[in-house]
PDB file of all heavy atoms in Angstrom:
ATOM      1  N   PRO A 216       8.613 -71.512-167.760  1.00 92.00           N
ATOM      2  CA  PRO A 216       7.349 -70.934-167.282  1.00 92.00           C
ATOM      3  C   PRO A 216       7.212 -69.508-167.810  1.00 92.00           C
ATOM      4  O   PRO A 216       8.101 -68.679-167.615  1.00 92.00           O
ATOM      5  CB  PRO A 216       7.497 -70.957-165.758  1.00 92.00           C
ATOM      6  CG  PRO A 216       8.551 -71.978-165.481  1.00 92.00           C
ATOM      7  CD  PRO A 216       9.497 -71.910-166.642  1.00 92.00           C
ATOM      8  N   LEU A 217       6.099 -69.208-168.483  1.00 95.00           N
ATOM      9  CA  LEU A 217       5.983 -67.941-169.194  1.00 95.00           C
ATOM     10  C   LEU A 217       5.658 -66.766-168.286  1.00 95.00           C
ATOM     11  O   LEU A 217       6.186 -65.667-168.480  1.00 95.00           O
ATOM     12  CB  LEU A 217       4.927 -68.066-170.303  1.00 95.00           C
ATOM     13  CG  LEU A 217       5.185 -69.162-171.349  1.00 95.00           C
ATOM     14  CD1 LEU A 217       4.178 -69.056-172.482  1.00 95.00           C
ATOM     15  CD2 LEU A 217       6.615 -69.090-171.881  1.00 95.00           C
ATOM     16  N   LEU A 218       4.784 -66.946-167.321  1.00 94.00           N
ATOM     17  CA  LEU A 218       4.396 -65.807-166.489  1.00 94.00           C
ATOM     18  C   LEU A 218       5.552 -65.244-165.664  1.00 94.00           C
ATOM     19  O   LEU A 218       5.697 -64.017-165.572  1.00 94.00           O
ATOM     20  CB  LEU A 218       3.210 -66.177-165.601  1.00 94.00           C
ATOM     21  CG  LEU A 218       1.871 -66.212-166.347  1.00 94.00           C
ATOM     22  CD1 LEU A 218       0.776 -66.807-165.473  1.00 94.00           C
ATOM     23  CD2 LEU A 218       1.477 -64.813-166.812  1.00 94.00           C
ATOM     24  N   PRO A 219       6.402 -66.069-165.042  1.00 94.00           N
ATOM     25  CA  PRO A 219       7.568 -65.482-164.367  1.00 94.00           C
ATOM     26  C   PRO A 219       8.469 -64.709-165.322  1.00 94.00           C
ATOM     27  O   PRO A 219       9.136 -63.756-164.908  1.00 94.00           O
ATOM     28  CB  PRO A 219       8.287 -66.694-163.778  1.00 94.00           C
ATOM     29  CG  PRO A 219       7.208 -67.711-163.578  1.00 94.00           C
ATOM     30  CD  PRO A 219       6.287 -67.522-164.741  1.00 94.00           C
ATOM     31  N   MET A 220       8.495 -65.097-166.593  1.00 92.00           N
ATOM     32  CA  MET A 220       9.263 -64.338-167.567  1.00 92.00           C
ATOM     33  C   MET A 220       8.695 -62.935-167.717  1.00 92.00           C
ATOM     34  O   MET A 220       9.429 -61.970-167.939  1.00 92.00           O
ATOM     35  CB  MET A 220       9.267 -65.057-168.917  1.00 92.00           C
ATOM     36  CG  MET A 220      10.008 -66.370-168.933  1.00 92.00           C
ATOM     37  SD  MET A 220      11.751 -66.188-168.546  1.00 92.00           S
ATOM     38  CE  MET A 220      12.277 -65.097-169.838  1.00 92.00           C
ATOM     39  N   MET A 221       7.381 -62.796-167.642  1.00 90.00           N
ATOM     40  CA  MET A 221       6.757 -61.487-167.736  1.00 90.00           C
ATOM     41  C   MET A 221       6.972 -60.688-166.452  1.00 90.00           C
ATOM     42  O   MET A 221       7.026 -59.462-166.479  1.00 90.00           O
ATOM     43  CB  MET A 221       5.247 -61.635-167.990  1.00 90.00           C
ATOM     44  CG  MET A 221       4.872 -62.433-169.225  1.00 90.00           C
ATOM     45  SD  MET A 221       5.355 -61.618-170.753  1.00 90.00           S
ATOM     46  CE  MET A 221       4.167 -60.290-170.836  1.00 90.00           C
ATOM     47  N   SER A 222       7.056 -61.361-165.334  1.00 93.00           N
ATOM     48  CA  SER A 222       6.999 -60.699-164.036  1.00 93.00           C
ATOM     49  C   SER A 222       8.346 -60.406-163.407  1.00 93.00           C
ATOM     50  O   SER A 222       8.490 -59.412-162.704  1.00 93.00           O
ATOM     51  CB  SER A 222       6.195 -61.562-163.059  1.00 93.00           C
ATOM     52  OG  SER A 222       4.935 -61.870-163.579  1.00 93.00           O
ATOM     53  N   VAL A 223       9.321 -61.267-163.590  1.00 94.00           N
ATOM     54  CA  VAL A 223      10.579 -61.124-162.870  1.00 94.00           C
ATOM     55  C   VAL A 223      11.784 -61.210-163.788  1.00 94.00           C
ATOM     56  O   VAL A 223      12.648 -60.339-163.765  1.00 94.00           O
ATOM     57  CB  VAL A 223      10.715 -62.208-161.766  1.00 94.00           C
ATOM     58  CG1 VAL A 223      11.998 -62.008-160.970  1.00 94.00           C
ATOM     59  CG2 VAL A 223       9.516 -62.182-160.844  1.00 94.00           C
ATOM     60  N   PHE A 224      11.862 -62.263-164.606  1.00 91.00           N
ATOM     61  CA  PHE A 224      13.089 -62.561-165.341  1.00 91.00           C
ATOM     62  C   PHE A 224      13.107 -61.909-166.713  1.00 91.00           C
ATOM     63  O   PHE A 224      13.360 -62.545-167.731  1.00 91.00           O
ATOM     64  CB  PHE A 224      13.265 -64.080-165.446  1.00 91.00           C
ATOM     65  CG  PHE A 224      13.229 -64.754-164.113  1.00 91.00           C
ATOM     66  CD1 PHE A 224      12.098 -65.445-163.699  1.00 91.00           C
ATOM     67  CD2 PHE A 224      14.305 -64.671-163.249  1.00 91.00           C
ATOM     68  CE1 PHE A 224      12.049 -66.054-162.467  1.00 91.00           C
ATOM     69  CE2 PHE A 224      14.263 -65.270-162.004  1.00 91.00           C
ATOM     70  CZ  PHE A 224      13.135 -65.964-161.606  1.00 91.00           C
ATOM     71  N   GLY A 225      12.810 -60.606-166.733  1.00 88.00           N
ATOM     72  CA  GLY A 225      12.782 -59.868-167.983  1.00 88.00           C
ATOM     73  C   GLY A 225      12.955 -58.393-167.700  1.00 88.00           C
ATOM     74  O   GLY A 225      13.674 -57.996-166.795  1.00 88.00           O
ATOM     75  N   ALA A 226      12.243 -57.531-168.453  1.00 89.00           N
ATOM     76  CA  ALA A 226      12.450 -56.096-168.374  1.00 89.00           C
ATOM     77  C   ALA A 226      12.160 -55.544-166.999  1.00 89.00           C
ATOM     78  O   ALA A 226      12.868 -54.673-166.514  1.00 89.00           O
ATOM     79  CB  ALA A 226      11.572 -55.397-169.395  1.00 89.00           C
ATOM     80  N   THR A 227      11.110 -56.033-166.357  1.00 93.00           N
ATOM     81  CA  THR A 227      10.767 -55.522-165.035  1.00 93.00           C
ATOM     82  C   THR A 227      11.873 -55.821-164.037  1.00 93.00           C
ATOM     83  O   THR A 227      12.308 -54.949-163.281  1.00 93.00           O
ATOM     84  CB  THR A 227       9.456 -56.150-164.555  1.00 93.00           C
ATOM     85  OG1 THR A 227       8.437 -55.840-165.489  1.00 93.00           O
ATOM     86  CG2 THR A 227       9.068 -55.613-163.199  1.00 93.00           C
ATOM     87  N   GLY A 228      12.320 -57.066-164.014  1.00 95.00           N
ATOM     88  CA  GLY A 228      13.407 -57.420-163.112  1.00 95.00           C
ATOM     89  C   GLY A 228      14.687 -56.672-163.442  1.00 95.00           C
ATOM     90  O   GLY A 228      15.424 -56.251-162.540  1.00 95.00           O
ATOM     91  N   ALA A 229      14.961 -56.486-164.741  1.00 95.00           N
ATOM     92  CA  ALA A 229      16.170 -55.755-165.139  1.00 95.00           C
ATOM     93  C   ALA A 229      16.101 -54.305-164.685  1.00 95.00           C
ATOM     94  O   ALA A 229      17.102 -53.734-164.229  1.00 95.00           O
ATOM     95  CB  ALA A 229      16.347 -55.827-166.649  1.00 95.00           C
ATOM     96  N   ALA A 230      14.923 -53.677-164.788  1.00 96.00           N
ATOM     97  CA  ALA A 230      14.778 -52.290-164.351  1.00 96.00           C
ATOM     98  C   ALA A 230      15.023 -52.160-162.856  1.00 96.00           C
ATOM     99  O   ALA A 230      15.717 -51.243-162.394  1.00 96.00           O
ATOM    100  CB  ALA A 230      13.389 -51.771-164.715  1.00 96.00           C
ATOM    101  N   ALA A 231      14.446 -53.085-162.084  1.00 98.00           N
ATOM    102  CA  ALA A 231      14.646 -53.036-160.636  1.00 98.00           C
ATOM    103  C   ALA A 231      16.109 -53.283-160.269  1.00 98.00           C
ATOM    104  O   ALA A 231      16.685 -52.586-159.424  1.00 98.00           O
ATOM    105  CB  ALA A 231      13.741 -54.064-159.953  1.00 98.00           C
ATOM    106  N   TYR A 232      16.714 -54.262-160.910  1.00 98.00           N
ATOM    107  CA  TYR A 232      18.090 -54.663-160.584  1.00 98.00           C
ATOM    108  C   TYR A 232      19.093 -53.565-160.932  1.00 98.00           C
ATOM    109  O   TYR A 232      19.859 -53.107-160.077  1.00 98.00           O
ATOM    110  CB  TYR A 232      18.416 -55.955-161.331  1.00 98.00           C
ATOM    111  CG  TYR A 232      19.795 -56.530-161.061  1.00 98.00           C
ATOM    112  CD1 TYR A 232      19.998 -57.439-160.033  1.00 98.00           C
ATOM    113  CD2 TYR A 232      20.882 -56.171-161.848  1.00 98.00           C
ATOM    114  CE1 TYR A 232      21.262 -57.977-159.790  1.00 98.00           C
ATOM    115  CE2 TYR A 232      22.148 -56.698-161.610  1.00 98.00           C
ATOM    116  CZ  TYR A 232      22.326 -57.597-160.590  1.00 98.00           C
ATOM    117  OH  TYR A 232      23.586 -58.118-160.356  1.00 98.00           O
TER     118      TYR A 232
END
Side-chain angles (χ1 to χ4, degrees):
L217 302 188
L218 284 171
M220 293 298 300
M221 303 294 287
S222 306
V223 183
F224 305 103
T227 301
Y232 182 90

